[in-house]
Amino acid sequence: MHLDSKLPRVGTTIFTVMSRLAEQHRALNLGQGFPDFEPPPAFAEALQRHVRDGKNQYAPMAGVPRLRQQLAHKLSRDYGAPLDPESYITVTDGATEGLFDTITAVVRSGDEVIVFDPCYDSYEPAVLLQGGRVLHLPLNPEFGIDWQRLASALSPRTRLIILNFPHNPSGAVLSPEDLETLARIVRDTRAFLLSDEVYEHIVYDGREHQSLLRHPELRERSFVVGSFGKTYHATGWKVGWVVAPPQLTTELRKVHQFVTFSTSTAAQHAFADVLEQQPGLVHELPGFYQQRRDRFRQLLAGSHFRLLPVAGTYFQLADYSALSSEPDLEYTRRLVVEAGVATIPVSPFCETPPAQRLLRFCFAKSDSTLEHAAARLCELRPA
Ligand code: PMP
Ligand code: GLN
């Protein structure tokens, strides 16, 4: 029997496609964003202990209370946001579920949702499934928001604006002035904000992450999504959260309870232990990745790639136009097959192909992976 697709233009995500290709060709995988090193051993021990201690049945729907308390504490410490864990915080199966739940709770048929290209791939399908329309606005050449353009694009139909800073794939970050400008622009609209902040702790050169939670006015209309995956080198554990004001949280939970109901109990307890016992761990992260960023950039200095600046995340964008005039999908496939290095093309993040020839490297990899990959990349010569 034939099923008419609800997402006819959607295929398998580029991250899965490139990881599969990397496996097939035994390439070094600098594509999909995950570390190739382990989380601290204490994490696995905590998880095992909680399994042994009987944390094996459903968690409370909104999340394990001690984890939500720890999250409230962390968010108030980092962003000065006083949040009642009971009414503001919901634990989800990774940020992906939090994003889907939020979009499902907010968007109705005919509503317009604004995203900024290049844009993470999970937003648009979720909007389309709700019958919403996606308006893609290009980020400016430095990957910041073009405020003028946003102001002109807003209309009474705009129901949601989705932001993602630190930004995947460019690593761009927001400034305190950006928060003020955003607040001014949305003040008299009916637009909610969905802020995907999964890279909140990966910001460089002494910058501070500008969470929307810092801004009391923005906080009132925002769903802020976070994840433990990136912060603790544990992308496979799939534990994330959504912070939103009480009435928005009530609506979000109506969706969450029927998408997953609740998230792995033992994993939630393990993360609660980490937050409780090692609250300072997150502050080591910028230094840890900044060293990798700098090392990777240094290793590629002798290549024909032009490296763009990276202010946050563990991604490095590179312009390959000195090496090839092929479109990015073809060039990145050829890199896997011929150079043995998997990367991510940028065009799947964009509605219209980007003007530059860009690909994305993930540098959340061991020194040896980065060195071997860079050696191969430095050997590439213009076609
Ligand atoms: N948003 C962005 C911008 C991401 O890069 C990712 C994953 N890499 C996610 C959301 C998904 O996070 P999670 O693995 O916690 O579902
Ligand atoms: N967010 C990760 C990335 O950007 C991938 C996650 C996934 O494969 N869905 O590489």
Side-chain angles (χ1 to χ4, degrees):
M1 227 163 89
H2 179 76
L3 174 65
D4 259 351
S5 177
K6 293 180 78 176
L7 297 170
R9 297 213 316 256
V10 173
T12 305
T13 84
I14 190 64
F15 309 113
T16 299
V17 168
M18 295 311 284
S19 277
R20 250 194 235 145
L21 204 63
E23 227 166 276
Q24 262 168 28
H25 293 272
R26 305 220 169 117
L28 295 166
N29 193 352
L30 269 50
Q32 194 176 18
F34 62 87
D36 73 347
F37 39 82
E38 297 300 322
F43 285 33
E45 284 154 23
L47 185 66
Q48 284 164 8
R49 183 162 32 79
H50 288 298
V51 168
R52 272 200 309 272
D53 287 354
K55 301 288 191 302
N56 297 304
Q57 309 309 329
Y58 294 127
M61 183 270 277
V64 163
R66 58 185 283 261
L67 177 61
R68 285 188 289 132
Q69 267 151 20
Q70 285 299 326
L71 275 169
H73 178 68
K74 167 197 131 57
L75 295 166
S76 107
R77 176 199 67 194
D78 292 344
Y79 307 129
L83 303 167
D84 164 30
E86 202 43 57
S87 50
Y88 277 79
I89 301 177
T90 308
V91 178
T92 56
D93 273 16
T96 307
E97 197 224 341
L99 293 162
F100 187 86
D101 293 351
T102 302
I103 291 167
T104 304
V106 172
V107 177
R108 292 159 197 260
S109 179
D111 281 346
E112 224 164 72
V113 177
I114 293 181
V115 302
F116 300 99
D117 281 4
C119 143
Y120 188 60
D121 66 350
S122 83
Y123 311 149
E124 176 152 15
V127 174
L128 297 178
L129 287 171
Q130 303 315 318
R133 276 195 46 214
V134 179
L135 193 61
H136 292 258
L137 302 183
L139 289 171
N140 66 31
E142 285 78 43
F143 299 98
I145 294 177
D146 180 336
W147 296 112
Q148 200 59 52
R149 210 164 185 151
L150 173 62
S152 327
L154 284 169
S155 82
R157 289 183 304 279
T158 314
R159 191 68 175 149
L160 185 66
I161 304 171
I162 307 182
L163 301 102
N164 165 222
F165 294 97
H167 178 238
N168 179 3
S170 75
V173 297
L174 290 178
S175 69
E177 299 75 55
D178 285 329
L179 296 189
E180 286 305 327
T181 311
L182 178 62
R184 185 167 41 75
I185 288 180
V186 298
R187 191 160 294 147
D188 297 319
T189 71
R190 62 190 279 278
F192 290 100
L193 302 170
L194 168 53
S195 185
D196 177 349
E197 303 186 8
V198 300
Y199 300 101
E200 63 180 328
H201 292 296
I202 313 182
V203 288
Y204 304 128
D205 307 310
R207 292 180 182 86
E208 286 194 317
H209 169 55
Q210 297 303 316
S211 173
L212 266 53
L213 293 174
R214 285 180 188 268
H215 197 288
E217 193 184 333
L218 290 175
R219 208 152 68 212
E220 285 309 302
R221 58 168 80 220
S222 295
F223 295 79
V224 175
V225 173
S227 173
F228 289 108
K230 319 288 166 183
T231 303
Y232 294 116
H233 318 313
T235 59
W237 288 31
K238 297 297 297 186
V239 184
W241 64 87
V242 183
V243 180
Q247 196 254 329
L248 308 190
T249 288
T250 301
E251 293 308 311
L252 173 95
R253 287 183 188 164
K254 289 182 189 174
V255 179
H256 163 70
Q257 67 185 344
F258 296 126
V259 173
T260 54
F261 180 67
S262 66
T263 297
S264 163
T265 312
Q268 290 193 58
H269 278 285
F271 281 127
D273 289 354
V274 173
L275 291 180
E276 221 169 77
Q277 292 158 19
Q278 304 185 65
L281 210 54
V282 291
H283 303 305
E284 294 170 18
L285 209 60
F288 175 82
Y289 276 124
Q290 187 167 319
Q291 203 187 355
R292 282 196 152 62
R293 175 198 70 174
D294 295 345
R295 175 92 181 110
F296 186 55
R297 290 174 67 91
Q298 195 183 28
L299 287 166
L300 287 184
S303 76
H304 289 274
F305 290 100
R306 187 174 64 80
L307 304 180
L308 275 59
V310 180
T313 76
Y314 44 50
F315 301 120
Q316 169 70 63
L317 283 185
D319 183 321
Y320 64 88
S321 50
L323 283 160
S324 167
S325 53
E326 283 167 292
D328 61 357
L329 287 171
E330 281 147 51
Y331 186 62
T332 50
R333 273 177 182 276
R334 209 154 62 73
L335 271 187
V336 179
V337 179
E338 293 176 16
V341 179
T343 60
I344 297 291
V346 171
S347 60
F349 292 69
C350 304
E351 185 182 45
T352 43
Q356 287 169 289
R357 295 199 162 75
L358 295 177
L359 53 75
R360 188 194 83 177
F361 296 110
C362 171
F363 56 80
K365 306 292 166 185
S366 67
D367 286 347
S368 133
T369 311
L370 294 179
E371 282 160 19
H372 283 103
R376 293 178 188 183
L377 296 165
C378 284
E379 278 171 20
L380 297 170
R381 296 284 168 263

mmCIF file of all heavy atoms in Angstrom, residues 13-16 19 31-34 96 120-122 168-169 198-199 230 235 238 314-315 344 349 360 362, ligand 2:
data_model
loop_
_atom_site.group_PDB
_atom_site.id
_atom_site.type_symbol
_atom_site.label_atom_id
_atom_site.label_comp_id
_atom_site.label_asym_id
_atom_site.label_seq_id
_atom_site.Cartn_x
_atom_site.Cartn_y
_atom_site.Cartn_z
ATOM 1 N N THR A 13 19.183 12.424 6.909
ATOM 2 C CA THR A 13 19.964 13.620 7.247
ATOM 3 C C THR A 13 21.397 13.499 6.725
ATOM 4 O O THR A 13 21.961 12.404 6.666
ATOM 5 C CB THR A 13 20.055 13.908 8.773
ATOM 6 O OG1 THR A 13 21.107 13.135 9.336
ATOM 7 C CG2 THR A 13 18.762 13.648 9.480
ATOM 8 N N ILE A 14 21.962 14.634 6.404
ATOM 9 C CA ILE A 14 23.318 14.680 5.843
ATOM 10 C C ILE A 14 24.332 14.095 6.836
ATOM 11 O O ILE A 14 25.352 13.523 6.443
ATOM 12 C CB ILE A 14 23.701 16.133 5.435
ATOM 13 C CG1 ILE A 14 24.990 16.163 4.624
ATOM 14 C CG2 ILE A 14 23.791 17.052 6.647
ATOM 15 C CD1 ILE A 14 24.940 15.481 3.296
ATOM 16 N N PHE A 15 24.006 14.200 8.151
ATOM 17 C CA PHE A 15 24.951 13.683 9.158
ATOM 18 C C PHE A 15 25.035 12.159 9.076
ATOM 19 O O PHE A 15 26.109 11.569 9.132
ATOM 20 C CB PHE A 15 24.518 14.131 10.562
ATOM 21 C CG PHE A 15 24.270 15.610 10.637
ATOM 22 C CD1 PHE A 15 22.993 16.116 10.862
ATOM 23 C CD2 PHE A 15 25.314 16.507 10.450
ATOM 24 C CE1 PHE A 15 22.762 17.472 10.910
ATOM 25 C CE2 PHE A 15 25.092 17.875 10.499
ATOM 26 C CZ PHE A 15 23.817 18.359 10.724
ATOM 27 N N THR A 16 23.880 11.526 8.912
ATOM 28 C CA THR A 16 23.839 10.065 8.780
ATOM 29 C C THR A 16 24.466 9.640 7.453
ATOM 30 O O THR A 16 25.239 8.686 7.388
ATOM 31 C CB THR A 16 22.364 9.581 8.870
ATOM 32 O OG1 THR A 16 21.868 9.957 10.148
ATOM 33 C CG2 THR A 16 22.239 8.090 8.697
ATOM 34 N N SER A 19 28.254 9.962 7.755
ATOM 35 C CA SER A 19 28.835 8.975 8.679
ATOM 36 C C SER A 19 28.843 7.590 8.048
ATOM 37 O O SER A 19 29.799 6.835 8.194
ATOM 38 C CB SER A 19 28.073 8.942 10.009
ATOM 39 O OG SER A 19 28.546 9.975 10.839
ATOM 40 N N GLY A 31 32.968 14.622 10.149
ATOM 41 C CA GLY A 31 31.663 15.068 9.674
ATOM 42 C C GLY A 31 30.696 15.267 10.830
ATOM 43 O O GLY A 31 30.692 16.325 11.473
ATOM 44 N N GLN A 32 29.877 14.232 11.084
ATOM 45 C CA GLN A 32 28.845 14.321 12.124
ATOM 46 C C GLN A 32 29.441 14.811 13.449
ATOM 47 O O GLN A 32 30.530 14.375 13.838
ATOM 48 C CB GLN A 32 28.234 12.934 12.316
ATOM 49 C CG GLN A 32 26.939 12.933 13.105
ATOM 50 C CD GLN A 32 26.328 11.532 13.186
ATOM 51 O OE1 GLN A 32 27.005 10.529 12.964
ATOM 52 N NE2 GLN A 32 25.051 11.475 13.512
ATOM 53 N N GLY A 33 28.702 15.686 14.124
ATOM 54 C CA GLY A 33 29.232 16.325 15.324
ATOM 55 C C GLY A 33 29.146 15.462 16.564
ATOM 56 O O GLY A 33 28.166 15.526 17.295
ATOM 57 N N PHE A 34 30.164 14.670 16.799
ATOM 58 C CA PHE A 34 30.267 13.932 18.070
ATOM 59 C C PHE A 34 31.744 13.720 18.373
ATOM 60 O O PHE A 34 32.557 13.595 17.464
ATOM 61 C CB PHE A 34 29.515 12.593 17.995
ATOM 62 C CG PHE A 34 30.070 11.645 16.961
ATOM 63 C CD1 PHE A 34 31.106 10.777 17.284
ATOM 64 C CD2 PHE A 34 29.576 11.635 15.657
ATOM 65 C CE1 PHE A 34 31.628 9.917 16.327
ATOM 66 C CE2 PHE A 34 30.098 10.781 14.694
ATOM 67 C CZ PHE A 34 31.137 9.922 15.027
ATOM 68 N N THR A 96 16.820 17.449 20.492
ATOM 69 C CA THR A 96 15.978 17.159 19.318
ATOM 70 C C THR A 96 14.512 17.020 19.715
ATOM 71 O O THR A 96 13.629 17.567 19.053
ATOM 72 C CB THR A 96 16.473 15.872 18.620
ATOM 73 O OG1 THR A 96 17.870 16.024 18.355
ATOM 74 C CG2 THR A 96 15.743 15.623 17.324
ATOM 75 N N TYR A 120 20.126 24.516 11.173
ATOM 76 C CA TYR A 120 20.159 23.098 11.567
ATOM 77 C C TYR A 120 18.962 22.364 10.964
ATOM 78 O O TYR A 120 17.873 22.922 10.853
ATOM 79 C CB TYR A 120 20.154 23.004 13.097
ATOM 80 C CG TYR A 120 20.379 21.609 13.604
ATOM 81 C CD1 TYR A 120 21.553 20.916 13.301
ATOM 82 C CD2 TYR A 120 19.426 20.975 14.379
ATOM 83 C CE1 TYR A 120 21.761 19.626 13.767
ATOM 84 C CE2 TYR A 120 19.628 19.690 14.855
ATOM 85 C CZ TYR A 120 20.800 19.025 14.533
ATOM 86 O OH TYR A 120 20.996 17.746 14.988
ATOM 87 N N ASP A 121 19.177 21.104 10.624
ATOM 88 C CA ASP A 121 18.207 20.442 9.730
ATOM 89 C C ASP A 121 16.920 19.960 10.377
ATOM 90 O O ASP A 121 15.981 19.607 9.673
ATOM 91 C CB ASP A 121 18.883 19.293 8.975
ATOM 92 C CG ASP A 121 19.324 18.158 9.898
ATOM 93 O OD1 ASP A 121 19.286 18.334 11.131
ATOM 94 O OD2 ASP A 121 19.695 17.085 9.379
ATOM 95 N N SER A 122 16.824 19.938 11.688
ATOM 96 C CA SER A 122 15.609 19.340 12.286
ATOM 97 C C SER A 122 14.448 20.327 12.407
ATOM 98 O O SER A 122 13.321 19.925 12.671
ATOM 99 C CB SER A 122 15.935 18.744 13.661
ATOM 100 O OG SER A 122 15.914 19.731 14.672
ATOM 101 N N ASN A 168 25.560 26.400 14.743
ATOM 102 C CA ASN A 168 25.984 25.268 13.923
ATOM 103 C C ASN A 168 25.506 25.568 12.507
ATOM 104 O O ASN A 168 24.302 25.748 12.328
ATOM 105 C CB ASN A 168 25.314 23.991 14.470
ATOM 106 C CG ASN A 168 25.667 22.748 13.671
ATOM 107 O OD1 ASN A 168 26.446 22.807 12.736
ATOM 108 N ND2 ASN A 168 25.055 21.636 14.051
ATOM 109 N N PRO A 169 26.363 25.679 11.530
ATOM 110 C CA PRO A 169 27.741 25.218 11.448
ATOM 111 C C PRO A 169 28.835 26.292 11.594
ATOM 112 O O PRO A 169 30.003 25.942 11.552
ATOM 113 C CB PRO A 169 27.795 24.681 10.009
ATOM 114 C CG PRO A 169 26.934 25.641 9.235
ATOM 115 C CD PRO A 169 25.824 26.011 10.177
ATOM 116 N N VAL A 198 22.401 24.455 22.380
ATOM 117 C CA VAL A 198 23.093 23.213 22.772
ATOM 118 C C VAL A 198 24.607 23.406 22.923
ATOM 119 O O VAL A 198 25.258 22.628 23.606
ATOM 120 C CB VAL A 198 22.800 22.027 21.820
ATOM 121 C CG1 VAL A 198 21.327 21.693 21.785
ATOM 122 C CG2 VAL A 198 23.338 22.260 20.428
ATOM 123 N N TYR A 199 25.165 24.452 22.297
ATOM 124 C CA TYR A 199 26.619 24.692 22.426
ATOM 125 C C TYR A 199 26.908 25.800 23.438
ATOM 126 O O TYR A 199 27.935 26.479 23.350
ATOM 127 C CB TYR A 199 27.220 25.036 21.050
ATOM 128 C CG TYR A 199 27.011 23.915 20.056
ATOM 129 C CD1 TYR A 199 25.996 23.975 19.101
ATOM 130 C CD2 TYR A 199 27.785 22.768 20.117
ATOM 131 C CE1 TYR A 199 25.771 22.921 18.220
ATOM 132 C CE2 TYR A 199 27.568 21.708 19.249
ATOM 133 C CZ TYR A 199 26.566 21.793 18.311
ATOM 134 O OH TYR A 199 26.343 20.748 17.459
ATOM 135 N N LYS A 230 26.581 17.629 24.126
ATOM 136 C CA LYS A 230 27.789 18.337 23.662
ATOM 137 C C LYS A 230 28.692 18.685 24.836
ATOM 138 O O LYS A 230 29.908 18.679 24.720
ATOM 139 C CB LYS A 230 27.414 19.667 22.990
ATOM 140 C CG LYS A 230 26.215 19.599 22.111
ATOM 141 C CD LYS A 230 26.520 18.862 20.883
ATOM 142 C CE LYS A 230 25.229 18.502 20.173
ATOM 143 N NZ LYS A 230 25.461 17.720 19.001
ATOM 144 N N THR A 235 26.974 12.381 23.433
ATOM 145 C CA THR A 235 25.848 12.672 22.531
ATOM 146 C C THR A 235 24.871 11.497 22.458
ATOM 147 O O THR A 235 23.700 11.687 22.147
ATOM 148 C CB THR A 235 26.340 13.007 21.103
ATOM 149 O OG1 THR A 235 27.082 11.889 20.593
ATOM 150 C CG2 THR A 235 27.222 14.238 21.082
ATOM 151 N N LYS A 238 21.472 11.165 24.976
ATOM 152 C CA LYS A 238 20.227 11.820 24.599
ATOM 153 C C LYS A 238 19.413 12.335 25.784
ATOM 154 O O LYS A 238 18.290 11.901 26.030
ATOM 155 C CB LYS A 238 19.377 10.871 23.736
ATOM 156 C CG LYS A 238 19.996 10.471 22.395
ATOM 157 C CD LYS A 238 20.223 11.610 21.424
ATOM 158 C CE LYS A 238 18.975 12.289 20.986
ATOM 159 N NZ LYS A 238 19.260 13.300 19.932
ATOM 160 N N TYR A 314 32.106 23.249 18.221
ATOM 161 C CA TYR A 314 33.328 22.517 17.823
ATOM 162 C C TYR A 314 33.373 22.276 16.315
ATOM 163 O O TYR A 314 33.832 21.252 15.857
ATOM 164 C CB TYR A 314 33.536 21.246 18.635
ATOM 165 C CG TYR A 314 32.366 20.324 18.901
ATOM 166 C CD1 TYR A 314 31.520 19.890 17.891
ATOM 167 C CD2 TYR A 314 32.162 19.827 20.191
ATOM 168 C CE1 TYR A 314 30.486 19.002 18.161
ATOM 169 C CE2 TYR A 314 31.136 18.939 20.471
ATOM 170 C CZ TYR A 314 30.303 18.527 19.448
ATOM 171 O OH TYR A 314 29.293 17.642 19.710
ATOM 172 N N PHE A 315 32.879 23.272 15.584
ATOM 173 C CA PHE A 315 32.898 23.179 14.127
ATOM 174 C C PHE A 315 33.785 24.259 13.515
ATOM 175 O O PHE A 315 33.840 25.379 14.028
ATOM 176 C CB PHE A 315 31.475 23.332 13.566
ATOM 177 C CG PHE A 315 30.533 22.286 14.091
ATOM 178 C CD1 PHE A 315 29.396 22.645 14.799
ATOM 179 C CD2 PHE A 315 30.790 20.935 13.889
ATOM 180 C CE1 PHE A 315 28.526 21.673 15.299
ATOM 181 C CE2 PHE A 315 29.931 19.954 14.378
ATOM 182 C CZ PHE A 315 28.803 20.327 15.082
ATOM 183 N N ILE A 344 31.184 17.779 6.360
ATOM 184 C CA ILE A 344 29.757 18.038 6.113
ATOM 185 C C ILE A 344 29.632 19.219 5.146
ATOM 186 O O ILE A 344 30.196 20.298 5.412
ATOM 187 C CB ILE A 344 29.016 18.363 7.438
ATOM 188 C CG1 ILE A 344 29.052 17.182 8.416
ATOM 189 C CG2 ILE A 344 27.575 18.809 7.193
ATOM 190 C CD1 ILE A 344 28.235 15.960 8.031
ATOM 191 N N PHE A 349 22.120 22.932 4.836
ATOM 192 C CA PHE A 349 21.670 23.845 5.887
ATOM 193 C C PHE A 349 20.969 25.073 5.282
ATOM 194 O O PHE A 349 20.633 25.992 6.006
ATOM 195 C CB PHE A 349 22.853 24.370 6.696
ATOM 196 C CG PHE A 349 23.594 23.364 7.564
ATOM 197 C CD1 PHE A 349 24.363 22.354 7.007
ATOM 198 C CD2 PHE A 349 23.529 23.455 8.951
ATOM 199 C CE1 PHE A 349 25.068 21.463 7.809
ATOM 200 C CE2 PHE A 349 24.229 22.567 9.759
ATOM 201 C CZ PHE A 349 25.000 21.563 9.188
ATOM 202 N N ARG A 360 32.161 21.860 6.408
ATOM 203 C CA ARG A 360 32.300 21.937 7.868
ATOM 204 C C ARG A 360 33.132 20.768 8.387
ATOM 205 O O ARG A 360 32.836 19.613 8.062
ATOM 206 C CB ARG A 360 30.901 21.890 8.512
ATOM 207 C CG ARG A 360 30.895 22.157 10.002
ATOM 208 C CD ARG A 360 29.572 21.764 10.646
ATOM 209 N NE ARG A 360 29.516 20.345 10.944
ATOM 210 C CZ ARG A 360 28.505 19.739 11.550
ATOM 211 N NH1 ARG A 360 27.446 20.427 11.930
ATOM 212 N NH2 ARG A 360 28.527 18.434 11.795
ATOM 213 N N CYS A 362 34.367 18.861 11.970
ATOM 214 C CA CYS A 362 34.140 18.782 13.419
ATOM 215 C C CYS A 362 35.491 18.489 14.060
ATOM 216 O O CYS A 362 36.134 17.495 13.724
ATOM 217 C CB CYS A 362 33.148 17.669 13.733
ATOM 218 S SG CYS A 362 33.023 17.353 15.504
HETATM 219 N N1 GLN B 2 24.037 17.925 15.434
HETATM 220 C C1 GLN B 2 25.052 17.035 14.934
HETATM 221 C C2 GLN B 2 25.845 17.776 13.859
HETATM 222 O O1 GLN B 2 25.592 18.898 13.562
HETATM 223 C C3 GLN B 2 24.460 15.797 14.345
HETATM 224 C C4 GLN B 2 23.336 15.170 15.058
HETATM 225 C C5 GLN B 2 22.640 14.213 14.152
HETATM 226 O O2 GLN B 2 23.277 13.436 13.476
HETATM 227 N N2 GLN B 2 21.372 14.306 14.083
HETATM 228 O O3 GLN B 2 26.735 17.200 13.321
#
